[in-house]
Amino acid sequence: MSSDVPAVAEALVTHAEAVCDYADHLWRVVGNLSVPTDLLTDTRDTAKVTYSTEQMVRCFLYAEIREFSHNGLADRLHTRPALCKQFGFTTPPTQQTLSETWRALDDETQRVIDESAIAIAHVAHENDVISEALLPTSPDEDKRDTDEQAAKQDREWKRQKATKTIRL
């Protein structure tokens, strides 16, 4: 990929903001995103693959936001035909296909997906598409000063996350 990772991620997030105006579910937001595949690097032989780069990027964005493993994502796709349809699949990909496709994306493309997913989750939350419980769950690494303070912050963060989940 010869493009700038933040610029590609920003394009995805900007479009997600527009889609949030009319979408009522996360899978609809991600399913309606315009993915700039010409700016992403997929090393698979696109003439021989069943699932396009655009379909798979949507899948990975959804999985990253929902914090699904490839196995969890494959299970979700097998049990939710509407999700498959929204992502453009006629049949759901297997866990092996998801894992192989992820490995076929270069590091910058994977970064675009990771960074975009975090920002899209925040945009979706701000537009009442998803609840706060679905926001990224990792504590802020930059604010840690000492090991003791980090442990205290982790405990507090886990307590808050558990409280939010229980409220839901």
Side-chain angles (χ1 to χ4, degrees):
M1 173 173 29
S2 61
S3 65
D4 186 23
V5 171
V8 176
E10 184 178 341
L12 284 166
V13 174
T14 300
H15 191 241
E17 286 176 318
V19 173
C20 281
D21 288 341
Y22 61 86
D24 58 349
H25 293 285
L26 176 64
W27 53 275
R28 286 192 175 127
V29 171
V30 174
N32 287 313
L33 282 179
S34 177
V35 179
T37 55
D38 55 324
L39 301 175
L40 304 173
T41 303
D42 183 350
T43 60
R44 299 176 301 155
D45 182 359
T46 55
K48 295 181 181 180
V49 297
T50 304
Y51 308 106
S52 72
T53 302
E54 185 171 2
Q55 291 172 312
M56 297 306 278
V57 168
R58 282 191 183 115
C59 231
F60 293 134
L61 285 168
Y62 179 78
E64 189 69 28
I65 294 168
R66 293 298 311 271
E67 297 182 337
F68 289 141
S69 64
H70 292 158
N71 192 42
L73 177 59
D75 288 345
R76 176 60 63 109
L77 291 169
H78 281 278
T79 60
R80 306 275 166 98
L83 187 60
C84 285
K85 184 177 178 182
Q86 185 67 42
F87 292 162
F89 297 129
T90 53
T91 59
T94 63
Q95 180 273 327
Q96 181 179 356
T97 300
L98 292 166
S99 296
E100 288 172 356
T101 303
W102 182 255
R103 285 190 300 272
L105 302 176
D106 73 347
D107 291 341
E108 287 183 353
T109 300
Q110 290 177 4
R111 253 184 65 216
V112 164
I113 292 168
D114 293 340
E115 291 176 11
S116 298
I118 292 167
I120 290 169
H122 285 282
V123 165
H125 172 65
E126 290 168 6
N127 288 280
D128 295 323
V129 174
I130 63 172
S131 71
E132 190 173 354
L134 290 180
L135 291 177
T137 58
S138 60
D140 189 358
E141 297 288 330
D142 298 333
K143 294 183 179 177
R144 295 182 180 187
D145 294 335
T146 64
D147 288 338
E148 186 177 309
Q149 184 179 6
K152 184 178 178 181
Q153 286 176 343
D154 282 345
R155 282 192 304 276
E156 177 62 19
W157 171 83
K158 288 177 185 175
R159 185 192 63 73
Q160 289 174 355
K161 181 69 176 170
T163 302
K164 289 177 189 174
T165 303
I166 291 168
R167 284 184 188 152
L168 281 175

